Amino acid sequence: MATPSFQIATIKGDGIGIDVADATLAVIEAAQSRVGGFSLNYQEILAGAGYYRETGLDIEPDGEKMAGVADAIFLGAIGLPSVRYEDGTEIAPHLRLRDIFQLYAGIRPIKAYPNAPQRLADERAAAIDMIILRESTEGLFYSAAVHNRCPVENDAEVQDTLRITRKTTEKLHDFAFNLARKRKEKGTKGIVTCVDKANVFKSMAFFRKIFDERSRAFPDIEKGYNYVDAQALDLIRKPWDFDVLVMENMFGDILSDLAGGLVGGMGMAACGEIGDNHGLFQPAHGTAPDIMGQDKANPLAAILSGSLMLDYLADKAGSQALSDAADVISDAIQSGFSKNSIRPAEFGGDMGTKAVTQEIIRHIQS
Ligand code: ATP
């Protein structure tokens, strides 16, 4: 039987995006050699602030098309404060990709690793392991993106729209329950918590109603509810109790940063953005101009995003080999932290981007 082969579009971008993307591709190659049974072909797409400065374009002419035909897109990070569009905003072609490909399911894993910073003194903090699932195409960001920009009227009043559609919300909740089911098979709790403000807003009551409707198809998964303000409190009081948290765009934006802060810095914040036919994977951090070119970036957020990408491809293709490769990477990170052999400079450790990457590769090969 022919080895299954996948096309990956890579956008390395700017600043530390380039370093962490290179680190991720090296780690994926090590996992691929270890596990075997699939091949990945990369096609690089030129995009970002540096590219814009040289060409006046934020992505190469066929870039969106190339991203669209790939099986997955991997992105380092894009943007430099000194390079801007004419309207003064920073270069961000990836936000357009999110919109074009309708990448509604934003996955942010939040997991505590031994010897990595833990902000809570309670020993149960070592058990934090949850996913914040942030709807990423509508909610309160709907009017912030390409749609529906209302002007400020008479310098006196302005409105933004919070949009919830049945079509996207059904898919989002199904995604949440399927994710909880998959995680439960690997030993997590199997709970989806709907985070909303259904006591106040019609949009949020609708979000919760659809949550209840879709939950009926997943009787094996426990369901819970929390108002977003109470959820913020509970993320500090008892974050170890949660598994999958599903919410609209703006709530997810805020709570994923809060939750990320419980288990380390930006260098641990992985992200996957998934739609019906496309998936884009990138660290949640930016290009970090303050540390670029110094080998100081923690590559783990990007590498964990690479592992999410392999998992996504595994589901798409029904491939055990890809799923094993994703596990090999997350196991190497877990084991490296347990042995205290991964000590990123980001947390005051003695290892830069290259050293952390080499250590993970060593764990994968051993
Ligand atoms: P954006 O708006 O694109 O997210 P930003 O400037 O708000 O960009 P980042 O580029 O993520 O945010 O940087 C925020 C801070 O976190 C900076 O001090 C940066 O050095 C640090 N940082 C971000 N990513 C990493 C990383 N991978 N390793 C170490 N430090 C990082």
Side-chain angles (χ1 to χ4, degrees), residues 254-282:
I254 298 168
L255 291 189
S256 60
D257 272 23
L258 189 161
L262 295 173
V263 294
M266 291 309 291
M268 296 300 290
C271 176
E273 297 180 359
I274 296 174
D276 288 342
N277 302 306
H278 300 88
L280 186 152
F281 300 84
Q282 61 176 327

Side-chain angles (χ1 to χ4, degrees), residues 16 78 266-267 284-291 296-298 346:
I16 66 164
I78 282 184
M266 291 309 291
H285 60 73
T287 56
D290 54 333
I291 56 165
K296 282 187 184 162
N298 181 355
E346 184 187 18

Side-chain angles (χ1 to χ4, degrees), residues 134-146:
R134 166 189 177 186
E135 197 292 315
S136 302
T137 57
E138 44 188 46
L140 192 51
F141 274 73
Y142 182 73
S143 46
V146 273

Side-chain angles (χ1 to χ4, degrees), residues 335-353:
S335 142
F337 270 118
S338 299
K339 294 179 178 147
N340 204 18
S341 66
I342 297 179
R343 300 176 302 273
E346 184 187 18
F347 311 145
D350 57 346
M351 295 167 79
T353 314

Side-chain angles (χ1 to χ4, degrees), residues 209-220:
K209 174 175 174 270
I210 297 172
F211 176 79
D212 282 333
E213 288 171 15
R214 303 313 284 186
S215 71
R216 288 182 206 121
F218 301 89
D220 51 322

Side-chain angles (χ1 to χ4, degrees), residues 8-58:
I8 311 294
T10 58
I11 303 175
K12 294 184 184 175
D14 305 296
I16 66 164
I18 299 168
D19 304 331
V20 299
D22 284 339
T24 304
L25 301 188
V27 167
I28 289 178
E29 191 183 325
Q32 185 183 346
S33 305
R34 169 86 195 257
V35 173
F38 65 93
S39 77
L40 301 175
N41 304 309
Y42 295 98
Q43 183 161 39
E44 187 169 352
I45 300 174
L46 300 175
Y51 185 74
Y52 184 83
R53 193 168 41 203
E54 279 168 30
T55 63
L57 300 173
D58 61 6

Side-chain angles (χ1 to χ4, degrees), residues 7-11 66-75 97-98 101-107 175 271-282 305 308-310 312-313 316:
Q7 189 75 29
I8 311 294
T10 58
I11 303 175
M66 285 152 74
V69 296
D71 294 301
I73 308 159
F74 186 84
L75 194 146
L97 296 180
R98 187 189 283 170
F101 301 135
Q102 284 296 295
L103 307 175
Y104 61 87
I107 303 182
F175 195 99
C271 176
E273 297 180 359
I274 296 174
D276 288 342
N277 302 306
H278 300 88
L280 186 152
F281 300 84
Q282 61 176 327
S305 307
L308 282 178
M309 178 175 80
L310 297 181
Y312 163 78
L313 290 170
K316 211 169 163 181

